[in-house]
Amino acid sequence: MSDAVVHPTAIVSAHAQLGKGVKIGPFCIVGDKVVLGDNVELISHVSIDGNTVVGAGTRIFPFASVGNEPQDLKFHGENSRLEIGERCTIRESVTINPGTENGGMLTKIGNDCLIMASAHVAHDAIIGNNVIMANYVGIAGHCQIGDNVIFGGTSVVHQFTRIGAHAFIGAHSMVDGDVIPYGMAVGNRASLSGLNLVGLKRRKFDREEIHRLRAAYRSIFASEGTLRERVEDAAVMFKGDALVQDVVAFIAAASDRPILLPRNGHSNE
C-alpha cells in the first residue's frame, strides 16, 4: 500500500495510483487515471487529470494544470496519454496537455526537465531529457524537442517543428522552422545564428569535436550550391564524426517545417 501523505483539503480519486512517499498538498485535484510515481510531490493547488503518468521524484508547483483536455478543436475525448519523466520540476501555472488521435495519442516529457512558471507544452509534443524551458515558453502541438535543449524566456515554437539535441533558443524568439542539433536560433521570426558553443563547452564536449562541427557548419551553410548538395558533401567529408552526422541526419529527415537558415545567408561561424 502507498504511504502517501495527502492534505485533507486535496481531492484524490480512489482509483488514482500513488507510489511510495508521494506528497499531495492543499487543494490539489488528482483524477481517476493518474499514476504518481514514488516521491512525487504536488506542492498545492495542482490539477492532474486524464491518462497521466508522473515519474518518480517529480515536483509540481501551485496552479499547474497537467493532463487536462488538450486545446485542440479536433479532440473528442479519446483516451490519449501524457507521460512525464522522473525528477522533473514543473513550476507555477504550467500547462501540459495529453495527446490526440491525430498526433499519436501521446505527449511525452523526458527525465530531469525544468519547466518554469507559466510555460505551456501542447498536445502530442515529445520533449527529451534535461530540457530547460524558461518562463512563458510555448511549445505548440506535435513538436519534437531533443535532449539538453534550452529555451530562453517567452520563446515560442510553431506546431510540428523539430528542435535538435543541445540546441539553444534565445529569449523572445518565435521559431517556425527546424533547428539543427547543436544550433542556436534567435529572433522573431527566428534564424540560425550559429552553434551553441557555450552549451557544448559546458557539457564537456571534446575540443576537436567542436572544431570539426564548426567546420561542417561553415560548409553546410555556405553560399555555393544547394543545401542538399552541401549536406551530402558534409556527410562524406566528416564520415566518422558523430556530431556532424547528427546534423546531417536531422536535415535529411522528412519534416513538415523548413530548416532554419542563417538570416544573412552566411554561416556566422
Side-chain angles (χ1 to χ4, degrees):
M1 294 181 63
S2 171
D3 59 351
V5 176
V6 180
H7 193 275
T9 61
I11 300 174
V12 179
S13 170
H15 302 289
Q17 299 179 42
L18 309 182
K20 296 179 180 179
V22 166
K23 296 179 181 179
I24 300 178
F27 302 103
C28 293
I29 300 176
V30 180
D32 291 346
K33 299 178 181 179
V34 173
V35 178
L36 303 181
D38 294 347
N39 301 309
V40 166
E41 182 177 6
L42 312 183
I43 305 297
S44 75
H45 299 83
V46 175
S47 173
I48 304 186
D49 204 1
N51 192 5
T52 298
V53 176
V54 180
T58 288
R59 301 178 73 214
I60 305 180
F61 282 71
F63 304 104
S65 174
V66 177
N68 288 284
E69 184 173 315
Q71 300 173 93
D72 185 345
L73 294 175
K74 298 184 295 297
F75 181 77
H76 298 294
E78 54 264 32
N79 189 30
S80 57
R81 295 179 293 137
L82 167 62
E83 297 178 6
I84 297 173
E86 299 180 353
R87 301 175 301 278
C88 291
T89 300
I90 298 171
R91 294 303 305 243
E92 294 83 358
S93 301
V94 165
T95 54
I96 308 175
N97 296 151
T100 65
E101 186 175 17
N102 293 317
M105 298 284 284
L106 174 66
T107 302
K108 185 173 183 179
I109 295 174
N111 300 326
D112 301 297
C113 292
L114 169 58
I115 304 179
M116 298 187 197
S118 299
H120 173 65
V121 179
H123 58 89
D124 305 292
I126 304 297
I127 312 294
N129 301 316
N130 300 295
V131 171
I132 298 175
M133 299 180 197
N135 301 67
Y136 298 99
V137 167
I139 307 296
H142 310 277
C143 288
Q144 298 179 33
I145 312 299
D147 295 342
N148 299 293
V149 175
I150 296 177
F151 294 89
T154 69
S155 56
V156 294
V157 183
H158 191 284
Q159 63 183 355
F160 293 100
T161 296
R162 298 177 301 150
I163 310 291
H166 298 278
F168 179 86
I169 309 301
H172 310 296
S173 296
M174 197 295 156
V175 182
D176 60 355
D178 293 345
V179 180
I180 60 169
Y182 319 107
M184 183 165 57
V186 178
N188 182 12
R189 306 290 179 146
S191 61
L192 194 63
S193 58
L195 293 170
N196 182 18
L197 297 176
V198 172
L200 292 171
K201 291 173 182 176
R202 285 177 177 171
R203 296 184 187 110
K204 309 299 182 184
F205 279 80
D206 180 77
R207 186 173 182 178
E208 289 302 313
E209 284 184 309
I210 296 174
H211 178 76
R212 291 192 297 271
L213 183 61
R214 292 184 71 179
Y217 180 96
R218 288 192 291 267
S219 175
I220 290 171
F221 296 104
S223 57
E224 297 81 13
T226 66
L227 178 61
R228 174 177 289 185
E229 290 169 342
R230 297 192 298 266
V231 169
E232 291 173 350
D233 290 343
V236 174
M237 187 180 305
F238 299 91
K239 185 175 181 179
D241 191 284
L243 303 191
V244 176
Q245 295 304 319
D246 285 346
V247 176
V248 167
F250 183 90
I251 296 174
S255 176
D256 293 293
R257 305 300 303 163
I259 296 291
L260 279 196
L261 302 174
R263 188 177 299 279
N264 59 8
H266 300 292
S267 66
N268 300 322
E269 284 293 327

